[in-house]
């Protein structure tokens, strides 16, 4: 599976961006699609995830209500709509997929994801 992320950019506080991540290759094996982010000098952290079948969603507490994850299975694409952006949302955002249906309690753990995109930079100015 190959992942291509796009949609990052520079936005002011309170602004919005929509990230996209298109999957190609053996996409029928994908179970969960997720977004992670890594800010400078910080560890990579979970942002949101969505089940390919059923559409169940999971969010980091600090983004719930501001970010919305969605998917278009026909296009093998996952989206992250980010509203109300804050400077602390500044990071490189990575999409990732797992093939083994990671349990709900572990969707936040990057070790369970099998494939990663190249990352797209989101910068929120104050």
């Amino acid at each position: 599976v190959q992942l291509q992320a796009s949609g990052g950019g520079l936005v002011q506080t309170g602004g919005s961006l929509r990230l996209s991540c298109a999957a190609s290759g053996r996409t029928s094996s994908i179970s969960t699609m997720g977004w992670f982010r890594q800010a400078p000098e910080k560890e990579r952290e979970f942002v949101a995830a969505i089940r390919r079948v059923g559409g169940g969603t999971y969010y980091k507490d600090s983004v719930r209500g501001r970010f919305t994850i969605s998917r278009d299975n026909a296009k093998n694409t996952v989206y992250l709509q980010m509203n109300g952006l804050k400077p602390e949302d500044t990071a490189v955002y990575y999409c990732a997929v797992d093939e083994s249906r990671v349990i709900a309690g572990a969707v936040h753990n990057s070790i369970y994801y099998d494939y990663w995109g190249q990352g797209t930079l989101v910068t929120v100015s104050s």
Side-chain angles (χ1 to χ4, degrees):
V1 177
Q2 295 80 44
L3 302 173
Q4 181 68 45
S6 61
L10 173 63
V11 65
Q12 292 185 337
T13 296
S16 299
L17 282 174
R18 188 175 84 151
L19 306 183
S20 300
C21 178
S24 60
R26 197 178 64 180
T27 57
S28 60
S29 66
I30 295 173
S31 174
T32 308
M33 306 180 80
W35 289 96
F36 290 76
R37 67 187 181 188
Q38 188 166 16
E41 301 182 356
K42 292 189 176 181
E43 293 186 355
R44 188 172 298 187
E45 64 176 7
F46 170 76
V47 177
I50 187 167
R51 300 295 193 188
R52 187 170 181 271
V53 176
T57 57
Y58 309 86
Y59 292 97
K60 176 181 174 62
D61 286 345
S62 64
V63 308
R64 186 176 289 113
R66 298 189 298 124
F67 292 9
T68 302
I69 190 170
S70 61
R71 87 269 193 252
D72 183 334
N73 288 344
K75 295 182 179 180
N76 293 311
T77 299
V78 61
Y79 305 97
L80 186 68
Q81 177 66 44
M82 305 185 294
N83 300 328
L85 283 161
K86 305 175 181 180
E88 52 264 43
D89 295 317
T90 295
V92 176
Y93 284 69
Y94 299 90
C95 59
V97 302
D98 104 278
E99 298 180 310
S100 305
R101 193 171 176 82
V102 57
I103 62 172
V107 290
H108 64 283
N109 195 329
S110 62
I111 67 171
Y112 294 108
Y113 289 79
D114 302 293
Y115 301 96
W116 292 80
Q118 85 286 7
T120 184
L121 177 63
V122 172
T123 303
V124 184
S125 62
S126 58

